[in-house]
Amino acid sequence: MPWDFRRGKKDTAPTTERSQQQQCDPSYPDFCIPPNSPDLNCRDIPYRRFRVNQPDPHGFDRDRDGIGCER
């Protein structure tokens, strides 16, 4: 945790947006899949027709058109 020099103790504020983003794979900006999660298939998640950025570690965007789990 960051040190709060004004109070002389660690900052216990809620998680920042930046650290939340680090906990989600940037390949899937519409919802959070933790990085290094086990291999997933479309049938393993409830989402359809979502944005996918490359690289696509789970292979949700088979035709590489930027849309995952189209079928």
Side-chain angles (χ1 to χ4, degrees), residues 27-47:
S27 296
Y28 313 107
D30 295 336
F31 58 93
C32 185
I33 292 182
N36 303 319
S37 62
D39 187 31
L40 299 170
N41 296 308
C42 290
R43 68 177 176 252
D44 299 324
I45 60 170
Y47 310 103

Side-chain angles (χ1 to χ4, degrees), residues 50-64:
F50 52 86
R51 289 182 297 161
V52 175
N53 300 324
Q54 295 301 321
D56 175 15
H58 294 285
F60 294 140
D61 182 15
R62 297 280 181 202
D63 60 2
R64 295 180 161 239

Side-chain angles (χ1 to χ4, degrees), residues 16-37:
T16 64
E17 182 177 326
R18 179 181 166 104
S19 63
Q20 287 174 348
Q21 288 175 348
Q22 291 172 346
Q23 296 174 5
C24 299
D25 192 317
S27 296
Y28 313 107
D30 295 336
F31 58 93
C32 185
I33 292 182
N36 303 319
S37 62

